[in-house]
Amino acid sequence: MILHCVFLRFKAALQSADKQAIFEAVAALKDVIPGIVDVKYGPNVSPEGLNGGFVDGFTVTFEDAAARDTYLVHPEHVVVGERIVNATDGGLAGILVFDLLI
């Protein structure tokens, strides 16, 4: 399985309801894109202070790398991805993606 971790630096002006709507849109991809096992999201709760400004994030668990690769180019993911880029501080600079083989 692949654990796709996405950490975000949302724009300061973004409202909590807007963040929630983005996270719900990510979670809804599970019903549209095959191979998604689980989606989790929320704020960073680590007390270490090592988040580098990435204070929100989500994870998507995929059955395998092929499912992840399908997700990356899926039109529904592209739409949600553009929405995320537009909501983050610095666009792509406000997003950190890290995939783990689990």
Side-chain angles (χ1 to χ4, degrees), residues 12-96:
L14 195 69
Q15 300 295 315
S16 293
D18 295 325
K19 288 181 189 181
Q20 184 65 27
I22 288 171
F23 288 139
E24 289 174 1
V26 171
L29 294 174
K30 184 177 184 223
D31 298 328
V32 179
I33 303 174
I36 295 177
V37 176
D38 191 31
V39 177
K40 297 202 181 315
Y41 56 83
N44 176 33
V45 295
S46 173
E48 294 179 288
L50 300 174
N51 60 42
F54 293 92
V55 297
D56 292 283
F58 62 90
T59 62
V60 182
T61 305
F62 295 99
E63 291 176 353
D64 52 29
R68 187 260 332 264
D69 295 348
T70 297
Y71 160 90
L72 292 176
V73 297
H74 193 282
E76 295 288 331
H77 169 257
V78 171
V79 169
V80 174
E82 289 174 358
R83 188 172 169 189
I84 292 169
V85 170
N86 290 329
T88 56
D89 188 23
L92 288 175
I95 304 169
L96 175 66

